Amino acid sequence: MAYHMCSELVTVTWENGEDCGNLEEIGEWTALVLLENPVPSGTRLRIQCEEHQLKGFVETCISEEGVGFFVGVRLEPDSRWSEKWFAPRHLLVLQSEREAKVFPLAMASGY
């Protein structure tokens, strides 16, 4: 499975607020947005990416001094992300380190 680093300006709205930010990472079930303001864990929110909208709830909100707040979002089932549906302008696909790499013994040992 791969994860996707990206850079896309977005508008994030929730019940008690709104903030402009940058979509930093996107995956099938998760998103990471850099915002100027914190958003409490458990908050339902919407991420507006031009004409595309993602819905989910805040799993984490981590303050990075001098940068802002990295807000981790769990996407709702009807907002599962796919590159076919929407691709941020700046998208870099990386292989997940969690994926086990298996090689035949001959290939791994060089014999």
Side-chain angles (χ1 to χ4, degrees), residues 34-96:
L34 177 60
L35 300 174
E36 291 184 14
N37 300 296
V39 184
S41 290
T43 300
R44 290 197 164 298
L45 52 69
R46 294 175 189 262
I47 303 169
Q48 189 70 40
C49 315
E50 293 187 8
E51 69 273 1
H52 303 284
Q53 186 178 92
L54 301 168
K55 297 181 292 181
F57 64 91
V58 176
E59 285 191 314
T60 61
C61 183
I62 300 169
S63 174
E64 185 70 37
E65 190 174 335
V67 177
F69 295 86
F70 287 97
V71 179
V73 178
R74 170 66 57 181
L75 299 176
E76 293 179 3
D78 64 344
S79 283
R80 278 178 49 190
W81 178 78
S82 165
E83 193 173 346
K84 294 174 187 172
W85 174 66
F86 160 69
R89 286 192 185 118
H90 308 284
L91 183 67
L92 176 63
V93 180
L94 300 172
Q95 286 293 58
S96 172

